[in-house]
Amino acid sequence: MTDTETRRYRFGPLERRGVIGSLRPVQVGILAVGLTLAVVMMRTLGSGAGVIAALALVVVAVALCFWPVSGRSVEEWFPIALAFSAQRIRGRARSISSAAEAGMHGEVGSRPSPVVSLPSPARDIELLAVPFRGESVGVLKDRRVRTYTAILSVKVSSFGLLDRADQEARQAGWGAVLAGLAREGSPVSRIQWLERTVPADGDEIGRYLASSWNPDAVPLETLPMRSYLELAGSAPAATRDHELFVCLQVDARKGWRQIKRAAGSDGPDAGACAVLLRELEALGERLQAADIQVVGALRPGMLATVIRVSFDPWSRPGLARLQTVDPDRDGIDEGAAWPVATEHGWGSYLTGPVHHATYWIAGWPRIDVGAAFLTPVLLHGDAVRTIGVTIEPISPLRAIREVESARTTDIADRELRGRMGFVETARRRRAQDATARREEELADGHAAVRFAGYVTVSARSLDDLERDCAEVEHAAQMARLELLRLYGQQEQAFTYTLPLCRGLR
């Protein structure tokens, strides 16, 4: 490629491998039962009625397996609808926090500790305060899956205004960061980036003006000062700020050797946090080398604030003013980070006064795109939304085994379809070409990752939510992304855009 050519990026198709070709086990079971019952009906009933009943049964089985409804087949909707209905019947769709009535615990002369009441999808999360280089870093521990997650606040200045060469250089730097995590023996299980728009602090301009104004140099009665005050007063109240976080997670099961060595006699939590913060420090250095400004690791109170704003973005201006009047306040307590009431709906998730709708990025661009292909989603629009991409680095040996197995499956599937007389479609050929290309890239030394992306839209009312969802869907179409609203899974899906590195099985 010459210097004048634009570097293009290609996303492979979503792999859907099953026990027989692309058929999932449930589909195979439904088809097998349907064909068996069809044969029984043909033998039990008369020739005419038996054939009609058998044909109808086969049609129903095929429709259950392949008829698409809102991006999924009917058999895929069964467990979702069943779980959602069971939650509603048992009264678990609505929850109220007990923290408000529990009071605070503490001893005389010490700082009281609040009672923490977590919503159902985050009930196993615990916020740890880990000392590191004279500071305290917040770590989110998931007791159920034994993972530990820490968060870096980062900034990327004017990516959309950079020229093509600089954008591609930064993309290559990010690729080098991911490649450094996909190494043999790495304790890092996942990395996640979150980019969100939140309501701006309307008083920030006024506070900056008050702190920078010199009345002796610029008197209040002068025209420049009056123009400044008029500008600050006419600033739109509905402005949005962009925040960017990079989350790093280690798995205690995957890195137990390093954790055991680092723990000593301090226990598994201390060892896991030591390994995590060591990897986090190395990640920060690699991000700096990739021209990504690292603000720092989030302290416990700051991490609690990030979670609070995720559930209620419109609380951010009030929290900023609280920080202004109390400069020694380091964020909020863990008890105030979680919502006081939630309700799980079929198409939305209510947390206090805020409605949320979460989408899965079901399809990435099917054509070659440039470095700034996400610009319509990231920079355009006024909706309050969060975009999260969870990435799992894959070690070289595992990646080679997986791609070789996929190649073998593709070859066997092609031969089977050829013997049965099925026509090979363009989509299947592209999937096979993507697998072959991935095998070549691994042979050339490139790293492999597995990733999934999600978008959460937030609004103060259902009408505003639907309007903002339409705006985000339009922006996604401009970026050639296919969004699939996760109906019936909104409560769990909302956590995929929290700094928990969730969203991958």
Side-chain angles (χ1 to χ4, degrees):
M1 185 181 70
T2 63
D3 293 338
T4 58
E5 293 178 344
T6 302
R7 186 185 297 273
R8 312 295 288 178
Y9 302 88
R10 179 177 302 177
F11 291 86
L14 181 65
E15 293 187 359
R16 295 184 179 272
R17 303 186 185 278
V19 293
I20 301 177
S22 60
L23 295 179
R24 296 182 296 276
V26 176
Q27 290 177 311
V28 174
I30 292 175
L31 293 176
V33 171
L35 292 174
T36 302
L37 292 178
V39 173
V40 172
M41 285 185 175
M42 291 180 63
R43 293 187 175 183
T44 303
L45 302 177
S47 59
V51 171
I52 294 175
L55 182 60
L57 186 60
V58 171
V59 170
V60 171
V62 172
L64 290 176
C65 294
F66 302 107
W67 187 266
V69 178
S70 297
R72 301 186 183 190
S73 62
V74 177
E75 55 89 14
E76 288 182 293
W77 282 113
F78 277 153
I80 297 174
L82 184 62
F84 179 81
S85 300
Q87 188 184 43
R88 303 289 292 189
I89 292 173
R90 290 182 293 179
R92 296 184 178 179
R94 179 180 300 175
S95 65
I96 299 177
S97 172
S98 60
E101 300 174 351
M104 303 185 74
H105 299 289
E107 298 178 356
V108 177
S110 63
R111 181 180 178 182
S113 59
V115 174
V116 180
S117 179
L118 284 73
S120 176
R123 60 181 176 271
D124 297 312
I125 301 299
E126 181 182 355
L127 178 59
L128 306 178
V130 182
F132 183 73
R133 300 184 184 275
E135 296 286 345
S136 182
V137 177
V139 174
L140 291 172
K141 174 188 175 183
D142 192 327
R143 294 185 296 269
R144 183 176 61 86
V145 294
R146 297 178 61 195
T147 59
Y148 299 79
T149 307
I151 295 90
L152 289 175
S153 175
V154 301
K155 291 183 178 180
V156 179
S157 58
S158 305
F159 182 84
L161 301 178
L162 298 176
D163 58 26
R164 174 180 53 81
D166 290 336
Q167 289 180 346
E168 293 173 357
R170 290 195 177 183
Q171 286 279 36
W174 173 247
V177 171
L178 296 180
L181 299 175
R183 65 183 189 274
E184 294 292 341
S186 172
V188 175
S189 58
R190 291 177 183 177
I191 184 174
Q192 177 191 37
W193 63 262
L194 294 172
E195 197 277 340
R196 67 185 188 184
T197 57
V198 291
D201 180 10
D203 297 334
E204 185 175 5
I205 297 177
R207 290 197 302 268
Y208 176 79
L209 181 60
S211 62
S212 304
W213 176 41
N214 185 354
D216 297 331
V218 185
L220 181 62
E221 298 79 8
T222 59
L223 180 60
M225 190 61 196
R226 285 185 303 196
S227 300
Y228 235 96
L229 292 174
E230 182 179 356
L231 178 62
S234 62
T239 55
R240 301 285 183 259
D241 285 343
H242 291 260
E243 296 181 339
L244 183 60
F245 305 98
V246 176
C247 314
L248 192 70
Q249 182 182 91
V250 298
D251 192 330
R253 296 165 297 183
K254 180 180 179 181
W256 65 271
R257 289 187 177 86
Q258 295 98 317
I259 291 174
K260 185 177 181 180
R261 287 196 299 266
S265 60
D266 296 331
D269 282 353
C273 292
V275 173
L276 172 61
L277 296 183
R278 182 187 65 199
E279 294 290 337
L280 190 71
E281 186 177 24
L283 173 64
E285 295 175 355
R286 289 194 290 266
L287 291 175
Q288 293 280 16
D291 291 331
I292 300 175
Q293 180 184 354
V294 178
V295 180
L298 296 186
R299 296 188 291 274
M302 299 168 63
L303 180 51
T305 302
V306 169
I307 296 175
R308 168 73 176 276
V309 173
S310 297
F311 283 98
D312 184 5
W314 283 269
S315 67
R316 182 175 179 266
L319 294 175
R321 288 190 289 269
L322 184 62
Q323 185 69 33
T324 301
V325 299
D326 187 5
D328 296 331
R329 188 184 186 92
D330 187 15
I332 62 176
D333 293 325
E334 182 185 4
W338 306 97
V340 295
T342 64
E343 183 174 357
H344 182 202
W346 178 252
S348 63
Y349 182 49
L350 177 64
T351 59
V354 183
H355 299 264
H356 310 273
T358 301
Y359 292 83
W360 168 46
I361 303 179
W364 296 83
R366 298 183 181 179
I367 62 174
D368 295 350
V369 294
F373 75 97
L374 283 177
T375 298
V377 178
L378 296 176
L379 299 182
H380 296 168
D382 295 327
V384 175
R385 54 102 191 106
T386 302
I387 301 175
V389 176
T390 302
I391 304 169
E392 178 187 354
I394 302 176
S395 64
L397 292 179
R398 176 189 163 193
I400 291 174
R401 288 197 303 268
E402 290 181 353
V403 75
E404 289 177 350
S405 175
R407 285 277 287 163
T408 303
T409 302
D410 287 343
I411 294 173
D413 183 51
R414 181 184 299 175
E415 294 178 354
L416 177 62
R417 294 176 65 86
R419 287 197 301 266
M420 298 180 65
F422 289 102
V423 177
E424 189 176 33
T425 63
R427 183 186 295 269
R428 188 171 297 276
R429 285 196 303 271
R430 290 184 180 180
Q432 294 172 354
D433 293 342
T435 303
R437 185 172 61 251
R438 185 153 55 96
E439 185 181 25
E440 294 178 358
E441 292 172 349
L442 290 174
D444 293 337
H446 294 283
V449 298
R450 190 167 66 99
F451 65 95
Y454 301 89
V455 181
T456 294
V457 184
S458 305
R460 288 182 165 180
S461 67
L462 285 176
D463 292 338
D464 292 341
L465 180 65
E466 295 304 323
R467 184 186 64 249
D468 292 344
C469 284
E471 177 184 321
V472 171
E473 290 175 5
H474 177 68
Q477 291 174 356
M478 295 176 61
R480 297 182 175 87
L481 300 178
E482 178 185 352
L483 296 185
L484 182 63
R485 194 160 176 172
L486 296 176
Y487 290 102
Q489 300 173 284
Q490 288 294 310
E491 183 180 43
Q492 184 66 32
F494 178 79
T495 64
Y496 299 163
T497 52
L498 291 178
L500 299 173
C501 293
R502 289 183 176 181
L504 287 172
R505 291 183 179 178

